[in-house]
Amino acid sequence: MGGLSSSFVLLIALMLLANIWFVSLEDFRDVLLKPEIRSSLQLTLLSCTVSAIWSLWVAVPLAYLLSRYRFSGRWLIDALVDIPIVLPPLVLGLSLLILFHLKIGQWQLDAWLRETVGIQIVYRWPAVVLAQFAVSCAFAIRTMRVTFDQINPRAEEVARTLGCTRAQAFVKVALPQSWRGMITAGTIAWSRALGEFGPIMVFAGTTRMKTEVLSTSVFLELSVGELNAAVAISLIMVAMASVVLVVLRWTGVDR
């Protein structure tokens, strides 16, 4: 059992070592000097942070609702939440593209947003955030659902007998107890958004200096034969994900 288990750990370690051995410090320097990659890095940090916050904002109340209440159609909502997890990424991106381009008579969602709000979603940076959110939010909801399932509802019931409303019991009792789960859910959402590629490529495109993030930068560098640059960008993403995991361990959330 130890040999079988360690084979997976060894595989991950060997892949990372192979990438490190393949590139040099000059490759990292050349990559970071490219204005396209620096723009991609900035957009990645911004979009991942926004999508993680947005995911957490939606995940906390929805997970609490699924954990605490039994109502008609709960199973359907529970199943719909899992669809972005099991759906192929390209299909998810295509579904978003169809949603915003679908015409019902003279009405079209993308055109309506552009005319009324002044925001264009498809093939613009908001599409990057929306594509990341569509996937990362599902993981955040599952994490918060487990968190609330592990919190004893008795304290909330006592608070309600003392005069608190349901909303007050949630804010004053349940929410403070779920802070570890919130950090975990936010971290998972951020990390999942970092590695998203398929929905972004289909829904937002891979336009340099506009919708390019680090995951699509790897694809673009590979498409022009810049293997060293692609590996260097991949290692930058690994470093970013590692920092997030170290912060997660340091806060003691996983203990």
Side-chain angles (χ1 to χ4, degrees):
M1 291 178 63
L4 290 174
S5 302
S6 61
S7 61
F8 176 72
V9 178
L10 182 62
L11 176 63
I12 301 299
L14 288 176
M15 287 192 300
L16 292 176
L17 289 174
N19 286 340
I20 295 172
W21 185 269
F22 187 81
V23 296
S24 62
L25 292 177
E26 288 75 15
D27 294 323
F28 285 103
R29 184 197 61 192
D30 294 340
V31 162
L32 293 176
L33 287 177
K34 289 184 177 181
E36 299 89 351
I37 303 303
R38 283 187 289 181
S39 174
S40 172
L41 179 60
Q42 292 174 0
L43 181 57
T44 299
L45 293 173
L46 176 63
S47 62
C48 288
T49 302
V50 172
S51 62
I53 295 173
W54 191 8
S55 298
L56 204 58
W57 185 263
V58 173
V60 171
L62 182 53
Y64 184 80
L65 180 69
L66 293 174
S67 176
R68 289 290 188 267
Y69 298 97
R70 300 293 181 269
F71 52 90
S72 178
R74 176 176 171 273
W75 65 270
L76 180 60
I77 296 176
D78 202 24
L80 287 173
V81 165
D82 283 336
I83 287 181
I85 298 177
V86 300
L87 203 64
L90 288 176
V91 175
L92 182 62
L94 181 61
S95 300
L96 286 170
L97 187 64
I98 295 300
L99 171 65
F100 279 82
H101 278 172
L102 183 66
K103 274 192 175 183
I104 302 177
Q106 298 297 322
W107 184 84
Q108 186 186 43
L109 180 58
D110 189 50
W112 179 80
L113 288 172
R114 186 169 60 251
E115 293 171 1
T116 59
V117 186
I119 298 176
Q120 186 172 352
I121 303 295
V122 182
Y123 300 131
R124 295 294 188 275
W125 70 264
V128 176
V129 177
L130 186 56
Q132 292 174 338
F133 165 77
V135 179
S136 60
C137 186
F139 288 89
I141 292 171
R142 283 299 151 215
T143 304
M144 291 306 304
R145 169 75 182 275
V146 173
T147 299
F148 286 123
D149 285 344
Q150 293 176 346
I151 297 175
N152 194 333
R154 181 173 176 79
E156 299 167 51
E157 295 170 0
V158 172
R160 292 187 61 192
T161 61
L162 295 176
C164 287
T165 63
R166 289 184 176 181
Q168 289 174 333
F170 167 71
V171 173
K172 295 181 178 180
V173 180
L175 205 58
Q177 296 184 68
S178 65
W179 70 270
R180 290 179 179 269
M182 292 174 64
I183 294 176
T184 304
T187 303
I188 292 175
W190 197 94
S191 303
R192 192 65 187 85
L194 175 66
E196 204 57 51
F197 171 71
I200 295 177
M201 185 181 69
V202 176
F203 186 49
T206 55
T207 307
R208 298 214 122 158
M209 308 294 289
K210 283 189 177 181
T211 60
E212 181 185 3
V213 290
L214 289 180
S215 57
T216 54
S217 293
V218 175
F219 169 76
L220 291 173
E221 294 297 331
L222 279 175
S223 64
V224 295
E226 294 290 342
L227 183 58
N228 288 50
V231 175
I233 297 170
S234 301
L235 287 175
I236 292 173
M237 295 179 66
V238 171
M240 293 170 63
S242 299
V243 169
V244 173
L245 293 175
V246 167
V247 171
L248 186 63
R249 299 293 191 274
W250 179 73
T251 56
V253 174
D254 62 331
R255 298 173 188 173

